[in-house]
Amino acid sequence: FLAACHAEGIPLGVVTADETQAAEKHLDWLGIRQYFGAVVGTDQVERGKPFPDMMELACRKLSIDTRGAALIGDTNGDMRMGRAAGARLCIGLGEAGSENARADDFPDADIIIGDYRELRPGGGAA
């Protein structure tokens, strides 16, 4: 998914409740840091999730408007942050194979997926 987004020229960012330095370290360790134009940790903003500050900062760093951005998150707090920031689409990443639990876990999501393979860059859910 990351490589496909990169090939399409879709800017990507990471917004995390972790400290920025720890997030950068994890992304490097996973070998995927190069895909992200912005990494925003909770240490970079005054208010963390579910407030919009982190997503707004990431979008500024990526030079994109939050109203055109999609957010993929694994908590409903992420969905609430995306909504507060005016994201175009909020996608909940739940546990694969548990449709009912996922819907209950993400009341503020536009779409709920169980795996990144369900997404197509520029095309929403597969």
Side-chain angles (χ1 to χ4, degrees):
F1 178 74
L2 296 175
C5 287
H6 182 73
E8 293 286 327
I10 298 170
L12 299 173
V14 171
V15 174
T16 178
D18 292 337
E19 299 284 317
T20 304
Q21 186 176 9
E24 294 270 3
K25 183 178 178 179
H26 288 116
L27 294 170
D28 282 336
W29 180 77
L30 290 168
I32 59 174
R33 174 61 183 94
Q34 72 276 10
Y35 293 114
F36 300 100
V39 178
V40 176
T42 194
D43 56 304
Q44 293 188 48
V45 296
E46 190 172 318
R47 302 178 304 168
K49 300 173 187 180
F51 294 100
D53 305 28
M54 296 174 80
M55 184 170 179
E56 290 170 345
L57 178 58
C59 286
R60 280 194 306 274
K61 289 181 176 215
L62 294 169
S63 299
I64 61 173
D65 188 327
T66 57
R67 294 173 295 178
L71 175 132
I72 303 170
D74 61 356
T75 69
N76 198 59
D78 294 328
M79 303 304 107
R80 291 177 53 213
M81 175 184 63
R83 291 255 180 259
R88 181 175 184 175
L89 184 65
C90 295
I91 303 169
L93 177 61
E95 199 173 316
S98 58
E99 292 295 327
N100 293 331
R102 291 187 304 165
D104 292 343
D105 290 341
F106 297 100
D108 296 306
D110 295 308
I111 297 170
I112 301 168
I113 62 169
D115 191 287
Y116 285 103
R117 289 175 285 197
E118 296 178 48
L119 298 176
R120 292 185 315 261

